[in-house]
Amino acid sequence: MKSLWSDRDAEAAVTRWAEDGVGRDVALRVYTSRLLGGDARLVLHGGGNTSVKTTMTDITGDEVDVLCIKGSGWDLGDIEPPGLPAVRLGPLRRLLELDALSDEDMVNVQRGNLLDSTAPNPSVETLLHAFLPHKFVDHTHADAVLAISDQPDGEAICADVFGGRAALVPYIMPGFALAKKCAEVFAANPAVEGLILLKHGIFSMGETAREAYERMIELTTLAEKRLTSARPRPIVTAPKSGDIAPVSRVAPILRGLVAGDESKRMILDFRATPEILDFIGGADAERYAQAGPVTPDHVIRTKPKPLIVAAPPDGGIDGFAAEAARAIGRFRADYGAYFERNNVRQATPRIALDPMPRVIMVPGLGLFGLGNSAKAAAVAADLAETTVRVVAQAEGIGTFESIAEPDIFEIEYWSLEQAKLGKSAEKPLARHVVAVTGGASGIGRATARAFRAQGAEVAILDRDEAAARDEAAAIGAIAIACDVTDAGSVAGAFDRIAETFGGLDILVSNAGAAWQGRIGEVDELVLRESFELNFYGHQRAAQAAVRIMRAQGAGGVLLFNTSKQAINPGADFGPYGLPKAATLFLMRQYALDHGADGIRSNAVNADRIRSGLLTDEMIHTRSKARGLSRSDYMAGNLLGREVTAADVARAFVDLALAEKTTGAVLTVDGGNIAAAPR
Ligand code: ZN
């Protein structure tokens, strides 16, 4: 591992942050924190923390000694000065005189001594930083350090590797007791450059930002050298078993099973690399993969153990589904037993967390990270990938060993984490996956935005791939090129949805376009072209969606954009209205044939929407034909109000939430009696 320190970049950071009134110490603290946070071998997702001791002026003009330490909710990789809240150092240091301090009291003292009362909570490792005398203190969960310390004889290995440069601290849960122990170990070894927290991570200290950072790099490099100089004992891979079913078929089955009876849906994030496949296929995978986390705080995102299911043979997916259901049943039961046997020892009984896995390993295929959002699923998958790397390294020099089960439980059921339970209400469509065809413009675009705003994960399907990508980037969705008039394109697009999110819950079949022509004269080709998009396009998308929904076995929603033309034909709009009328019946057929699968099917009839369907020229022609101004034409309804794409989008969301409604048509037209469904 090489130092990335650059005098030029460091000075540039000082100049940059000076513009915001930030002093040199904090600017340099931001600079090296980002160097650490930018390397996944050192820091992942909110892991690690850094601090600097400096002085600041309070409101009375007095200079006060403060500790600027990483606050919760910030990542080292992109931290900014507000992510390093300043806490008065004196009161923190006085806590060293105490024999014990509860986590709640510790948090209270830390918050009570913030210079800015609106700052985020200082790290739970604040006191550890405060008790060490050095100006700069850096903490990471470096892979290489974990690999050599996560061993039955990790203490002896670390003593040998680090010699007098770093002192060893036995495993203690983060908090006051650990901070006090570290202060004690340092006092006994005042010449060390760092502390190795066995089975947890590493601290490095220095008088300058550069010194602390480069000590982190040097100490981690010592651990890396130990790993390369050892004769690696590669994981023995079990023989591969025949053809494996594709991710797009396996993921919806697993997603449906983890949704369980409570219908707590999850998002799945799939990963497959040669290292992951070797790891899962290893002859000893049941032992090393189930041995616990590589560093304690992963457990909150990954649970103590992953679920390992059987390999899914390409020709026997039903057998796989049945076996996976039994495996999830066993996982739940094991997790329940783990909770019970550890909870009985707690002074304050804990609230059981949901028993579903956060990492699922599938031999021959890869691994899935699970979470209540795509982001959370990706974090679980990233941590699982790190685990694969660290455990494989650990097995290369010995035997991977995690902290003991009671210690794992203590972290997973930490009082500070328990206090957060139930406090952040989820949005109504969180954990749901929505696909919107024609999602890059007009009604589709407004609909994709409306579902995203309700917490759903959204796939924008559109023929215009560039527009879909721009829109997806703007709202945090994914973009998939899809032409609903092409069966292959539709199949590929829905496979991509299942590969990306694990499945699908709601389809908004919206892609369409208007063709005109007097019915007695119109060319048959025009009619066929319109049917291809305005009827068969809906059927293809709905069929692909139903296939995924049935594999999940957790219901689903189909929503069709049918337009008022489906009920009330407009003059010369036969080529548009006829396939839309057929699509209205298609909606009812799905409601009838797939109600037993828990799949609901509904439609929205919109009219005179200012959207891609109506060009300015069309509005001009139609309003002129009726002798109306443009705005009078657009608002030519009972309410006299213009109907927008956002109004239609809200109707789709309402139908998605209307759990007992199927086979229904909802009009969004400001009132048009001639087009009222009857
Ligand atoms: Zn830590």
Side-chain angles (χ1 to χ4, degrees), residues 339-361:
F339 176 78
E340 290 306 329
R341 71 178 168 265
N342 287 286
N343 191 41
V344 293
R345 294 182 293 96
Q346 305 300 313
T348 317
R350 300 300 198 231
I351 304 159
L353 301 169
D354 86 79
M356 288 303 183
R358 292 296 184 276
V359 177
I360 301 180
M361 296 184 165

Side-chain angles (χ1 to χ4, degrees), residues 405-418:
E405 184 182 281
D407 293 325
I408 296 176
F409 183 86
E410 205 179 4
I411 292 280
E412 192 181 6
Y413 284 87
W414 201 347
S415 61
L416 298 181
E417 291 294 331
Q418 289 261 302

Side-chain angles (χ1 to χ4, degrees), residues 54 69 97 158 280 288 388 450 501 521 666:
T54 184
I69 172 120
E97 298 161 18
C158 289
I280 302 173
Y288 58 68
V388 164
F501 294 126
E521 298 155 4
L666 189 56

Side-chain angles (χ1 to χ4, degrees), residues 339-549:
F339 176 78
E340 290 306 329
R341 71 178 168 265
N342 287 286
N343 191 41
V344 293
R345 294 182 293 96
Q346 305 300 313
T348 317
R350 300 300 198 231
I351 304 159
L353 301 169
D354 86 79
M356 288 303 183
R358 292 296 184 276
V359 177
I360 301 180
M361 296 184 165
V362 187
L365 193 69
L367 66 79
F368 293 95
L370 284 72
N372 61 2
S373 66
K375 203 176 158 194
V379 170
D382 284 348
L383 297 182
E385 274 200 67
T386 296
T387 303
V388 164
R389 202 163 57 227
V390 172
V391 172
Q393 285 175 344
E395 291 279 310
I397 61 158
T399 307
F400 171 69
E401 188 185 80
S402 183
I403 53 174
E405 184 182 281
D407 293 325
I408 296 176
F409 183 86
E410 205 179 4
I411 292 280
E412 192 181 6
Y413 284 87
W414 201 347
S415 61
L416 298 181
E417 291 294 331
Q418 289 261 302
K420 291 182 203 159
L421 288 181
K423 281 195 178 155
S424 55
E426 284 186 331
K427 290 181 177 167
L429 289 172
R431 303 166 178 267
H432 288 71
V433 179
V434 182
V436 183
T437 68
S441 62
I443 289 173
R445 178 172 181 261
T447 302
R449 291 190 168 219
F451 275 98
R452 189 79 186 107
Q454 296 298 319
E457 303 300 339
V458 174
I460 295 175
L461 277 54
D462 206 288
R463 264 192 325 192
D464 185 342
E465 197 180 354
R469 259 204 312 269
D470 288 350
E471 184 56 18
I475 65 170
I478 63 158
I480 303 175
C482 179
D483 175 359
V484 294
T485 65
D486 176 340
S489 172
V490 172
F494 282 76
D495 281 352
R496 273 276 314 280
I497 296 170
E499 288 159 9
T500 308
F501 294 126
L504 177 69
D505 305 298
I506 300 163
L507 166 69
V508 182
S509 188
N510 163 72
W515 272 265
Q516 296 189 54
R518 239 172 129 189
I519 201 65
E521 298 155 4
V522 71
D523 192 324
E524 185 177 314
L525 278 178
V526 172
L527 263 180
R528 285 186 183 277
E529 212 181 342
S530 181
F531 261 89
E532 199 53 56
L533 175 60
N534 290 315
F535 174 74
Y536 287 106
H538 291 286
Q539 164 61 357
R540 282 184 202 104
Q543 213 169 51
V546 163
R547 180 179 158 159
I548 297 176
M549 290 169 184

Side-chain angles (χ1 to χ4, degrees), residues 47-49 125 139-141 174 197 200-201 203 295 297:
N49 42 62
E125 279 159 334
H139 170 47
T140 73
H141 302 150
L197 277 54
H200 170 165
F203 277 78
T295 185
D297 71 28

